[in-house]
Amino acid sequence: MKTRLNYVWGYALAVLFCACGNTNDTGKSADTNVASQQGLNPDIERKVDSLLSLMTLEEKIGQMNQYTGFWEVTGPTPSEGNQALKYEHLKKGWVGSMLNVTGAKEVTALQKIAVEETRLGIPLIIGFDVVHGYKTVSPIPLGEAASWDLEAIQRSAEVAAKEAAASGINWTFAPMVDISRDARWGRVMEGAGEDPFLGSKIATARVQGFQGNDLSSNSTIAACAKHFAAYGFPESGKDYNTADLGTSTLYNVVLPPFKAANDAGARTFMNSFNELNGIPATGDSFLQRQILKGDWNFNGFVVSDWGSIGEMIAHGYAKDGKVAAKIAANAGSDMDMESHLYVEHLSQLVKDGAVKEAYIDDATRRILRVKYELGLFEDPYKYSNETNEANVVGSTEIQEAVLDMAKKSIVLLKNEKQLLPLQKEGLNIAVIGALANDKTSPLGNWRLGAKNGTAVSLLEGLQAYEGNTITYVQGPNFVENDIAFSRQLEFNTSKKGLEEAVSAAKNADVVLMALGEHAMQTGEGRSQANIEMDPLQQELLEAVYNANSNVVLVLSNGRPLAINWANENIPAILETWHLGTQSGNAIAQVLYGDYNPSGKLPMTFPRSVGQVPIYYNHKSSGRPNEPSPGEVFWSHYTDESNTPLYPFGYGLSYTSFEYNNLQVSNIGKNRATISVTVTNTGAYSGKEVVQLYIQDIFASVTRPVKELKGFEMVPLESGASKTVTFSLTEKELGFYDNQGKYIVEPGGFKVFVGGSSTTDLESKFTIN
Ligand code: BGC
């Protein structure tokens, strides 16, 4: 067995080599100047170059190869088949990264092979989907986005990084920054919703949360902005499906959150499964080389999505694996996640002249750079210390952060009959629905690191308040609960338990119904053609309501739902998403008024699936208004309203807010200042997300009827007021034209301010 000396030798040689590197007449290394100009660390750049110069072509390609965990590293070594081959590759230094290996002990064992048994001892970068937490889980990202609370979102990413980093992980495949307007798409749960402005702010917060100020700290990890690009625009809402987009939507809607992630310093990007305008994103050099690495100067690396290099064959773009590897490498995909095609073909492709070695060097340099930045060369085991792991995972600090995030993510959709907040004593409360007693579904779909059954259920959260009498009746269970990550959920039709639920409701003062979606109805591969509640839950809801109309519907779901009947009939509705480990505690605190709900929807809720894609920042069309009652020749449905059930930005509070005194001042070239006074006119103290929208009334490329351009979270005591001021500059007033060029055009703008996208407090101004 080779020893650690090997690694030390390789490393020392690399440093020695760089010490004798070229110097120019200023005495500095020529590369040092370039590196500094590009915001890179010259010291790291020197080390990367030196190490690169020692590597064989195969070793460089090895850095570009990523495998998923394939055996229990602390158990016997694999001796046959695919596993044995991967193990051989690992020992040869032909693997640069692994994913899905977690835990300090396992990662240490794996890292030891890379460091001690390979010729150059280059450490692995260990990736994992820490999407909304690792073992202690925050709300699904769509839920976090509903908080509009950037500090809390950043904090949530920060504790997720800390917990993951203590378990050997140094790279998360998050944030997902895909804008989507299609509630059918299962992965809307994983993004920040439909709006590029909010999405960009959240992308920044999450990247900063994961990466912190010092990537080499053992409590921060590298972020990965995904899926580049347009994965959130699959035709018909079906996952992995074709995206066909014009330049305006690409530049103004899809790309901004990616650009924000890059500006925030995201060290990696992941490309995507979909094709965009006929080119699979994985093989698209326009996206990866021209925009990302060119226009945006991204200097981290791009990983493919799982097997997406190979999938270019099924797309009808590459005739075989060798061609697929060639296309992907030439297009700027730096690392192959689980296609095995780089390791198999790249070396020959370089020898054939089909892929330039300079591309291999560039990809390897990018990957090594991030490894250096993470501090892996200084101490390959810094992320896998078992004592640290035991102290950090599940710590009080992390539980508190996810509870805080969970409370802030809840959105009050309706509150009539003054059902909420609940009084703390003397009530008979019936709690109904399988989701109320579920300790797994609240963990959401991306819970790979969390143990099933570790969430606080709604029932447990309610039981922590002792003043009321709680009767729990499950009612009919609508799904088979225990479901593997890759398997389709099966729905039950048995009505067993329905009558018991109805009689519990009859005897109660208030009924809390926990309904909506099981977590495994959402997420990757889980698109739906219907977005209502399943028939069994709907029947249960109606039967219970008929027995007792004092119903609070506690919804958990991962996508906007078309809940028209509930909206018309049920007096109180609380949107709680899949809220994570502290779910039950957070919901109970909101139900009892210990936290006054402040969330606002980050995605429009349709009335029916036929309205999808429905989003607030749509264009006007040439026929936006009904010319006279009953006339048909305008842009509408004959069987459905044009308006959504709940608009983007909407959410109630136990108190009420009033807006007045909207003023526009300081109007100048590409600028204006907007101010508005918001007053808490209700009986409770609360927080309001004050939202600012604009409309560029006439432009050389038509602009949306409204675009969010500012928001501020304002806490106000009952009776208190605050004047909020927003500055509009060329950053907010311009747009990308059909050539992808950013322009600001003189002319008139409307400005709207309020507590949702349907606010009608408006004014106008003109810039020259
Ligand atoms: C998903 C990615 C994820 C990767 C690794 C893919 O199927 O699309 O988002 O990061 O798997 O788990």
Side-chain angles (χ1 to χ4, degrees), residues 651-705:
L652 304 173
S653 162
Y654 294 147
T655 191
S656 50
F657 298 97
E658 241 177 57
Y659 288 79
N660 50 53
N661 201 20
L662 172 59
Q663 288 192 4
V664 185
S665 60
N666 190 30
I667 302 165
K669 187 169 164 52
N670 300 344
R671 69 172 151 78
T673 301
I674 315 297
S675 65
V676 70
T677 303
V678 56
T679 305
N680 180 343
T681 51
Y684 298 83
S685 62
K687 284 187 283 182
E688 170 76 331
V689 182
V690 177
Q691 302 160 42
L692 169 84
Y693 298 84
I694 62 165
Q695 182 190 15
D696 184 346
I697 306 169
F698 297 104
S700 57
V701 182
T702 60
R703 305 301 305 141
V705 294

Side-chain angles (χ1 to χ4, degrees), residues 27 34 65 96 106 110 131 136 151 162 176 231 324 341 393 398 428 514 524 527 539 580 689 731 749:
V34 177
N65 183 32
E106 286 283 308
L110 196 68
V131 172
T136 313
E151 250 175 60
K162 188 169 182 180
M176 183 186 107
Y231 184 48
L341 294 174
V393 172
I398 297 176
N428 273 323
E524 184 174 350
S527 294
E539 189 175 340
V689 182
K731 251 172 85 191
F749 285 81

